[in-house]
Amino acid sequence: MNRRTTRRAGAAATLLATLLAVTGCGATDALVGLHPAPAEQTSAAPLDAEGARAIAARLLDGARAAAAEKGPKGDAARAEVLSGDALTVANAAAARGVVPAASGELAKEAEPTVVAQSRGRGWPRAILVTTLDEATSTQYLHVLVSESPQAPFTITASVPMLGGAELPAIGGDRMGAPFVDLTDGEGLPVAPERAFADYAAALAVPKPATVDTVATDDTFTTALRTSAAAQATALGKLGVLTQKHTPDLEHAVAFRLADGGVVAFGLLRRADAIAVRPGAKELVLPADVAGVVGRKKAAKSVQLTSLEPVVLVVPTDGPARVIAASELVASGKAA
């Protein structure tokens, strides 16, 4: 749970206050034959699996319907069913007229499977579900969060899993999956917040940091590095490429795994900068970049901002690992 939800959780009300109204009974009348009230089951999940699945299906359908709609109407429709990082990515994608990678399966109306729910009867509450895009055999992870008793569930993260990646077991319906603050490193080699920071530093171009807290041999990291190397080669003596990844964890959420580890959903913002070298007349931009910056050539510089939702598993021993991720070029400019 991030700092914002931590503060809210501290002031959360009890799930249910039961009132007994007795009508038509005198003051001396008694209620007899009643068993003692059962103890509050604080470890029980707030919803049964079918109720959680129904909520997820409704929200995923709403996100699919609003994904491509532009303007204030589209923003309002997405805000009804999305929040946090999922809303940030979806709005950026709609503004660009593209469907974000993390929402591609929504068009398939995939049936959600409930993986876990947050533990306890306080707020915020969360539901973790998966969907499968059968066309690409890609599994997606979705986090649904309700911030307060008055707030409906919304999708706060939707991220495609990497090929061959696995999500370790999370507490089931009875045990639940407790929230974990991103700064909490108890029982872990590294706190989730630090793992995101180290991973971001390891992705820097041209001078990546050497880290041992996060593995960097996954397919997403490899693809990012391969792409950056190809761009640098293509630029040659005409320009210099730099990339900086910055964790944006305002809306990040994390849950305790059954084995004591943590799964954390966060967002990285990537800044790409190309400086045209002295002596180079101009750069002819690729079609995809030109479409973002609004021009086909650049004489001085190119700047791009990308959104990268990332899911990290931080085990109780060994380095953290990326199990789900995507990227979206959100905006850019050229001079």
Side-chain angles (χ1 to χ4, degrees):
M1 169 186 344
N2 56 46
R3 297 181 181 89
R4 173 175 56 86
T5 55
T6 301
R7 293 193 296 268
R8 292 186 182 183
T14 306
L15 172 66
L16 179 66
T18 304
L19 302 178
L20 176 63
V22 179
T23 304
C25 296
T28 59
D29 291 339
L31 296 175
V32 296
L34 300 182
H35 297 289
E40 178 73 8
Q41 298 297 314
T42 57
S43 63
L47 293 168
D48 60 26
E50 184 54 33
R53 192 206 66 79
I55 290 174
R58 175 180 60 80
L59 292 176
L60 290 169
D61 285 347
R64 171 182 52 81
E69 193 166 0
K70 293 186 177 182
K73 184 178 180 180
D75 292 342
R78 284 184 290 275
E80 287 289 324
V81 293
L82 302 172
S83 62
D85 296 337
L87 181 60
T88 298
V89 174
N91 281 343
R96 282 207 52 216
V98 300
V99 176
S103 298
E105 92 292 356
L106 298 181
K108 307 297 183 182
E109 301 186 31
E111 285 294 318
T113 299
V114 176
V115 176
Q117 298 186 56
S118 55
R119 179 184 298 168
R121 295 183 179 275
W123 273 265
R125 291 180 177 176
I127 303 170
L128 178 61
V129 303
T130 64
T131 54
L132 175 65
D133 179 3
E134 295 184 355
T136 62
S137 298
T138 301
Q139 196 83 13
Y140 286 74
L141 297 175
H142 311 274
V143 178
L144 287 59
V145 173
S146 171
E147 295 279 7
S148 71
Q150 295 76 33
F153 277 97
T154 55
I155 301 171
T156 191
S158 282
V159 192
M161 294 188 69
L162 306 183
E166 295 182 356
L167 175 65
I170 303 179
D173 290 340
R174 293 183 177 276
M175 293 183 60
F179 279 106
V180 176
D181 192 281
L182 263 69
T183 62
D184 184 359
E186 183 178 358
L188 305 172
V190 61
E193 183 179 60
R194 171 69 183 280
F196 278 110
D198 288 354
Y199 180 58
L203 295 174
V205 173
K207 296 181 179 180
T210 300
V211 301
D212 57 8
T213 54
V214 184
T216 56
D217 58 350
D218 60 273
T219 56
F220 180 71
T221 305
T222 300
L224 289 179
R225 288 176 167 174
T226 300
S227 176
Q231 291 181 58
T233 299
L235 286 170
K237 297 181 179 181
L238 298 178
V240 178
L241 170 69
T242 60
Q243 288 183 345
K244 181 179 180 180
H245 293 72
T246 303
D248 180 353
L249 305 180
E250 179 182 1
H251 302 292
V253 291
F255 306 96
R256 186 71 64 183
L257 298 168
D259 63 3
V262 168
V263 57
F265 295 73
L267 179 69
L268 301 183
R269 293 181 181 268
R270 187 180 85 223
D272 290 47
I274 298 175
V276 180
R277 291 182 183 273
K281 183 178 179 181
E282 61 186 11
L283 294 179
V284 178
L285 304 178
D288 56 342
V289 175
V292 176
V293 302
R295 57 193 302 174
K296 297 181 179 180
K297 298 179 181 180
K300 296 181 180 179
S301 64
V302 179
Q303 295 179 333
L304 299 173
T305 298
S306 298
L307 302 175
E308 298 171 338
V310 172
V311 182
L312 287 177
V313 167
V314 185
T316 56
D317 184 37
R321 178 170 291 276
V322 179
I323 65 165
S326 66
E327 64 173 328
L328 171 70
V329 180
S331 61
K333 61 182 179 179

